[in-house]
Amino acid sequence: MAAYLYPYKDPTQPEQNRIQDLLSRMTLEEKFAQMRMIPQIDHLLEGRPFSAERVCDQLKYGIGASYSPDYIAPDILNAFQSYLLHDTRLGIPLIMMGESLHGVMSPEATVFPQAIGLGATFNAPLIAEMTGIIGREARTLGITQTYAPNLDLSRDPRWGRTEENYGEDPYLTATLGTAYVKALQEQGVASSPKHYVAHGSPEGGVNLSPVHCGERELRDTMLIPFAAAFQEGGALSVMPAYSEWDGTPIHASSFLMTDILRHELGFEGFAVSDFGAITMLHQFHKVASDALEAGKMALTAGLDMEAPNIFGFGQELMDAVRQGSVPLDLIDQAVGRILRVKFRLGLFENPYAQIDNLAGIRDQKAISLARTVAQESIVLLKNEFQLLPLSDQVGRVAVIGPNAALAQLGDYTHRVASRRAVSLLEGVRQRLGTEKVIFAPGCTIAFGQDSDLAEAVRAAEQSDVALVVLGDNSNFHGGIGWGDEEGGHVVTCGEGFDLSSLSLPGRQQELLEAVAATGTPVVLIMVSGRPYDLCWADHHIPAILQAWYPGEQGGAALCDIIFGSVSPSARLPISFPKSAGHIPCFYNHKVSARGYYKKPGSPEEPGRDYVFSSPDALYPFGYGLSYTTFSYSDLAISPAELAAPDQVTISATVKNTGSRPGKEVVQLYLTDCFSRITPFVRRLRGYSKILLQPGESCRVSFTLDQHDYSFINESMRPETEPGEFRVELGGLTGSFWIKNGV
C-alpha cells in the first residue's frame, strides 16, 4: 500500500477530509492563486522551451486554472502540470479549461453542428454519443473542464448568440443539456453549463443587455435546464451570465448564486466568472466603485474563480481578508469548492494530456458521426411539388449564394477546422462531378456587385435546378467582438453580433428573387445561426431547407438530404417569426399573449391582433417535414382520472404511411386548462425519435408526473391544482383529470 506524506494526497481518503487537510496547509497567497487563472499559460514561456526558471515566479503559489482558446501543445501542458505537482510547495495541479460547444476548439478536433442544429435533432441519445467523442478528444488534449453546454433559451432571434443554444424550449434544452453534461463528465472532463441564468432574453436582442422577467417566469422557464444539469447531470462547474436580472448583475446576485444555486438546487461544484464579468461590475454595470468592491460583491454572491485576468480577486481583496473586513471563511469556501472538483476529476493523480492517444483524435468514427448528426440537424421547411429529393441523374445544377462555397461552422470553432470543412459546393461537385455544376456566389454576406448578381442569374438560366445558399456569417473561432477580416464577409451572427432586423442581410433577398425570376426551380438552403424572415421565400420558393451551421461534414450531409440518401428528420427548436416586429414568437407563451380578438389581418384585409398580419409564427417550434409521411392513431391515456398528481401514461401508435424509410419526432404537449396562475398555451413534456420502414408501425409511450403538471405558485414553489389537463400527440388530442392537488 502506498504511503502518502499528507492525507490530501491519498485518493482513498474521503473527499471532504482531503479538502480540509489541504486547506489547513495553505497560505492566503496559495488560496488566492487557486481562485485565479492564467490564460494561455504557455505564453509564460515566450515561445521558448519549458524550464522551471521561466515559470517559477509566476507559479510560486500555484494556479487554479488556465484556458486554451486556441491550442496548447499537450507536451507543454504536461510540463506545466508536472511542475505544479512536483515542484511547488503543495503540488496542486491546474484545471485546463477550454471550449466544447459543438466540438473542442482545437485545430485537431472534430467539429459537429452548432448547438442550434443539435437542438433540431430532438435526439438526446445522439447528443450523448457525440459528446462522448468531444469529451474523449478534450481529455486527450489535457483539457479537463469546458464551458459547455450553453443552456440559455433563445427567445429573441435578433440576439447573435441564438446559435449557441438548443432553442427556445426549456424541456428540450434540459434533456439535451443533461445528456451532454453526463457524457462529457464520463470522459473525465468537468462540464461548466452557461450562462446561468436568463441570459437568452436580452433587452432589444442586444448581447449583455438586461433581462426582463419576474421570478415566476425565471423558475418556470429559464431555470429549468440549469436545474436539470445540476440535479440530474451532476455538472461540476457553472458560469454565470454577464447580464443583469431585476437590477442586479448575476455575478453579484446572492439570491441566484447562493440561495437558488446552492441551497435549492444543491450545486456542489465551483462557479467561474465569465470572462471579464467581475470587471464589468465596475466598468459596465456600474454597481461597484472599484476593484475591491467588485471582488467583494462577486465573492459574497458565490463566485469562486475569476477569469481570465485578475481584477476583483486581486491584492486589494487579499489585503481586506488580512485586515478582517472580508471573512476568511468566504475564501476557504471558494477554494474548497475548486479543490473538490480537482479531487473528483482525479487531477492530483493524473492531470496529464494523453500523448499516446493523440492519433485517435478526429478518427473515422468521429468524422462519420459528425455527418450523421448533421443529417439529423437539417430541417425541411417546404417541399412543394416534391421538388426534393433531387435525382442523381439531374441535369446541370447551379450552386449560388455567399454560403455555397464557404463552410460556415459557427462561433467557437477553430480557424483550421473552417478551412478543412466540406462546403455544399464541394459536396455537390463530389456527388455529380464538376462538369455538371455551375457556381456563382451572387453576392457576399452583406454586400454585392451588380455584375455578381447578373452572373448568378446567368448560372440559373443555364441550369435545371438552382441551389441558393444564403444566411449568416459566424465564421470565426469565437469571442465577443473579434470579427472576421477574411474575404470581406461581415460577421452577422455569434457572440456580440446582434441584428435589429430579421430580413436577409445585404443583397441576399435581391439575389434570391432574381434567381427565382428565371423560372428555374429553386431550392433555398439557409445556413445561419438564427431564424430569418422567410415570408417571401415561403410564398415563392418551392423547397426550403434550414441547415443552421451543420459542422465539418455539413456539405456532405446536405447532399445526403438534397439527393435523397437520407430523409430529413430534424424539427425546429425555435419558432420562425414573420419579422422582427413579431418578436417574441416562442410557442410556449401564456394563453393571453397572442391577442384577444383572434381576427388577424393582412395587407389586403386589415384586422386585429395585428392589423396587417397574424401574430402566429411562420414556422412554429417542433415543425419539420420528411420525404415520407406518418400517421398517428389509438391515443390512450391511463388512468384518465387521478386522485392525486400521480403518474399518467400517454401512448399512441405511429405508422410510416409513405414509401421511404424515415425518422419521426414524436412530440407530446400538455396544457393545464385552468389555473389560478395563468397557464401556458401548451408545453413540451416528452419527445422520442423513432425510425420506421415503409408500412411499419410502433407504439410510443410517455409517462408524466407531478413535475409536469405543476405551476409556480405565490410562494414561488411548484404546486398542482385539481382540474383538466389536455394532451396533444401528433395531431391527436385527449384529456385526463386530477381530482386533488398538491
Side-chain angles (χ1 to χ4, degrees):
M1 180 179 294
Y4 296 96
L5 184 61
Y6 302 118
Y8 77 85
K9 289 184 175 290
D10 183 356
T12 67
Q13 288 285 321
E15 177 184 277
Q16 193 59 32
N17 289 2
R18 299 181 79 184
I19 294 170
Q20 291 303 321
D21 179 64
L22 182 49
L23 278 174
S24 71
R25 302 176 190 279
M26 298 176 74
T27 65
L28 188 59
E29 289 81 2
E30 288 167 333
K31 291 175 180 179
F32 264 78
Q34 290 301 305
M35 298 164 60
R36 297 168 177 168
M37 171 188 293
I38 295 178
Q40 201 78 21
I41 198 168
D42 58 335
H43 288 181
L44 297 180
L45 302 176
E46 299 179 333
R48 292 174 290 178
F50 182 90
S51 71
E53 291 75 17
R54 292 195 180 102
V55 302
C56 60
D57 288 341
Q58 297 93 331
L59 299 179
K60 179 179 180 181
Y61 301 113
I63 194 68
S66 184
Y67 173 66
S68 176
D70 180 29
Y71 177 73
I72 294 179
D75 59 332
I76 295 296
L77 174 56
N78 284 354
F80 275 98
Q81 293 284 30
S82 179
Y83 177 82
L84 289 167
L85 273 181
H86 303 295
D87 297 321
T88 59
R89 190 178 78 89
L90 294 173
I92 305 174
L94 63 82
I95 296 176
M96 176 52 65
M97 299 181 177
E99 306 286 354
S100 69
L101 190 63
H102 54 123
V104 184
M105 202 170 76
S106 176
E108 299 99 334
T110 313
V111 182
F112 296 92
Q114 178 60 293
I116 191 71
L118 300 180
T121 68
F122 276 72
N123 193 336
L126 183 65
I127 299 311
E129 183 181 2
M130 174 203 75
T131 310
I133 289 178
I134 292 174
R136 174 174 58 82
E137 293 186 348
R139 191 62 187 84
T140 297
L141 291 165
I143 296 171
T144 50
Q145 178 171 323
T146 66
Y147 304 141
N150 192 329
L151 301 181
D152 301 327
L153 300 183
S154 293
R155 300 202 139 200
D156 189 330
R158 294 173 298 178
W159 187 43
R161 303 196 78 168
T162 293
E163 67 173 74
E164 296 183 35
N165 311 309
Y166 297 136
E168 68 186 33
D169 180 68
Y171 180 88
L172 178 65
T173 299
T175 53
L176 296 183
T178 300
Y180 187 109
V181 170
K182 289 180 177 179
L184 187 73
Q185 296 193 163
E186 284 172 0
Q187 299 298 320
V189 180
S191 171
S192 187
K194 61 184 184 182
H195 304 88
Y196 176 88
V197 59
H199 194 46
S201 300
E203 179 181 314
V206 177
N207 195 38
L208 279 64
S209 292
V211 173
H212 301 292
C213 72
E215 183 182 343
R216 177 175 288 108
E217 183 178 356
L218 182 85
R219 290 177 176 276
D220 242 346
T221 55
M222 301 166 191
L223 191 62
I224 288 173
F226 290 97
F230 303 137
Q231 296 180 321
E232 299 173 36
L236 293 174
S237 183
V238 64
M239 176 178 280
Y242 282 122
S243 51
E244 66 173 81
W245 177 70
D246 196 26
T248 302
I250 309 300
H251 281 72
S253 173
S254 296
F255 175 68
L256 293 175
M257 295 302 302
T258 295
D259 296 349
I260 292 183
L261 179 65
R262 301 286 179 179
H263 299 161
E264 288 190 28
L265 301 183
F267 175 63
E268 294 184 339
F270 75 93
V272 56
S273 78
D274 207 339
F275 281 25
I278 297 180
T279 307
M280 287 183 182
L281 298 178
H282 168 63
Q283 295 182 349
F284 182 58
H285 292 294
K286 305 295 186 181
V287 295
S289 60
D290 55 26
L292 175 58
E293 190 172 5
K296 283 183 178 180
M297 281 184 169
L299 181 67
T300 303
L303 262 290
D304 304 309
M305 180 182 289
E306 180 172 19
N309 301 305
I310 300 169
F311 178 75
F313 288 5
Q315 188 62 46
E316 298 92 340
L317 186 63
M318 191 185 302
D319 290 342
V321 174
R322 283 202 175 95
Q323 295 161 7
S325 59
V326 172
L328 178 61
D329 287 349
L330 289 178
I331 304 301
D332 286 349
Q333 175 179 266
V335 176
R337 292 165 176 170
I338 295 165
L339 294 177
R340 176 179 293 113
V341 173
K342 292 188 177 187
F343 286 130
R344 287 193 183 179
L345 292 174
L347 299 186
F348 282 80
E349 291 71 52
N350 181 14
Y352 301 112
Q354 300 165 356
I355 303 293
D356 293 342
N357 296 335
L358 290 174
I361 291 179
R362 198 173 168 268
D363 59 13
Q364 192 54 50
K365 178 182 178 182
I367 294 171
S368 176
L369 186 62
R371 185 166 178 166
T372 298
V373 178
Q375 292 166 351
E376 295 207 20
S377 73
I378 298 165
V379 189
L380 179 61
L381 297 177
K382 185 180 179 184
N383 194 21
E384 196 173 33
F385 313 121
Q386 285 71 56
L387 176 59
L388 293 176
L390 301 179
S391 168
D392 282 330
Q393 305 307 312
V394 67
R396 186 169 290 176
V397 175
V399 182
I400 295 168
N403 277 337
L406 184 62
Q408 294 282 1
L409 300 182
D411 216 351
Y412 290 94
T413 306
H414 198 280
R415 171 67 69 194
V416 170
S418 299
R419 292 171 181 150
R420 69 164 180 259
V422 180
S423 67
L424 178 63
L425 177 62
E426 183 181 349
V428 175
R429 283 173 172 169
Q430 289 176 354
R431 183 126 188 171
L432 301 180
T434 304
E435 68 281 355
K436 294 181 67 175
V437 179
I438 305 176
F439 169 57
C443 63
T444 63
I445 295 293
F447 304 106
Q449 303 294 326
D450 290 346
S451 57
D452 295 329
L453 193 146
E455 181 186 2
V457 169
R458 287 193 297 272
E461 291 172 338
Q462 298 168 26
S463 301
D464 297 285
V465 65
L467 307 179
V468 181
V469 194
L470 307 179
D472 272 322
N473 178 39
S474 184
N475 195 33
F476 204 78
H477 64 262
I480 182 170
W482 291 0
D484 185 353
E485 302 297 332
E486 293 192 1
H489 291 288
V490 173
V491 176
T492 57
C493 198
E495 187 173 355
F497 298 96
D498 315 307
L499 295 178
S500 60
S501 168
L502 295 183
S503 299
L504 291 171
R507 301 187 70 177
Q508 293 186 49
Q509 181 68 35
E510 184 181 356
L511 172 64
L512 178 62
E513 293 184 21
V515 172
T518 66
T520 299
V522 173
V523 179
L524 171 61
I525 300 157
M526 290 297 300
V527 178
S528 65
R530 59 161 63 85
Y532 272 98
D533 174 357
L534 299 182
C535 290
W536 186 93
D538 184 63
H539 281 91
H540 297 91
I541 303 300
I544 305 174
L545 287 166
Q546 177 65 49
W548 311 110
Y549 298 134
E552 66 171 70
Q553 293 297 305
L558 269 166
C559 284
D560 294 334
I561 298 289
I562 291 168
F563 293 98
S565 301
V566 175
S567 181
S569 64
R571 301 294 182 262
L572 289 181
I574 183 172
S575 302
F576 274 51
K578 296 183 176 76
S579 71
H582 288 77
I583 297 169
C585 189
F586 47 83
Y587 85 97
N588 51 343
H589 54 80
K590 289 300 187 85
V591 290
S592 61
R594 297 295 181 266
Y596 173 77
Y597 301 101
K598 308 303 179 187
K599 296 179 180 179
S602 68
E604 298 77 22
E605 189 174 344
R608 306 171 88 171
D609 303 331
Y610 297 105
V611 173
F612 296 117
S613 66
S614 166
D616 294 337
L618 177 64
Y619 305 117
F621 173 88
Y623 173 80
L625 303 176
S626 172
Y627 293 154
T628 189
T629 55
F630 300 92
S631 68
Y632 287 73
S633 62
D634 302 324
L635 177 69
I637 302 174
S638 179
E641 187 172 290
L642 289 74
D646 298 321
Q647 291 187 342
V648 62
T649 299
I650 318 294
S651 59
T653 298
V654 185
K655 182 177 182 179
N656 184 342
T657 55
S659 58
R660 290 173 174 267
K663 292 182 178 180
E664 170 71 338
V665 177
V666 184
Q667 303 170 53
L668 173 67
Y669 294 90
L670 184 68
T671 301
D672 186 351
C673 295
F674 292 93
S675 168
R676 73 174 187 276
I677 302 296
T678 55
F680 295 89
V681 65
R682 63 177 189 158
R683 293 192 284 181
L684 182 70
R685 280 296 178 261
Y687 65 89
S688 178
K689 197 165 198 176
I690 56 174
L691 172 63
L692 295 175
Q693 300 299 318
E696 184 181 6
S697 61
C698 176
R699 192 74 180 167
V700 180
S701 297
F702 301 94
T703 299
L704 305 183
D705 59 24
Q706 181 175 340
H707 172 79
D708 298 297
Y709 321 138
S710 65
F711 60 87
I712 302 299
N713 66 17
E714 294 85 349
S715 299
M716 296 299 145
R717 293 292 180 265
E719 180 183 337
T720 301
E721 279 187 333
E724 181 186 6
F725 291 80
R726 187 175 66 250
V727 170
E728 300 174 53
L729 184 62
L732 305 176
T733 60
S735 297
F736 63 91
W737 290 77
I738 297 176
K739 295 182 67 175
N740 299 293
V742 173

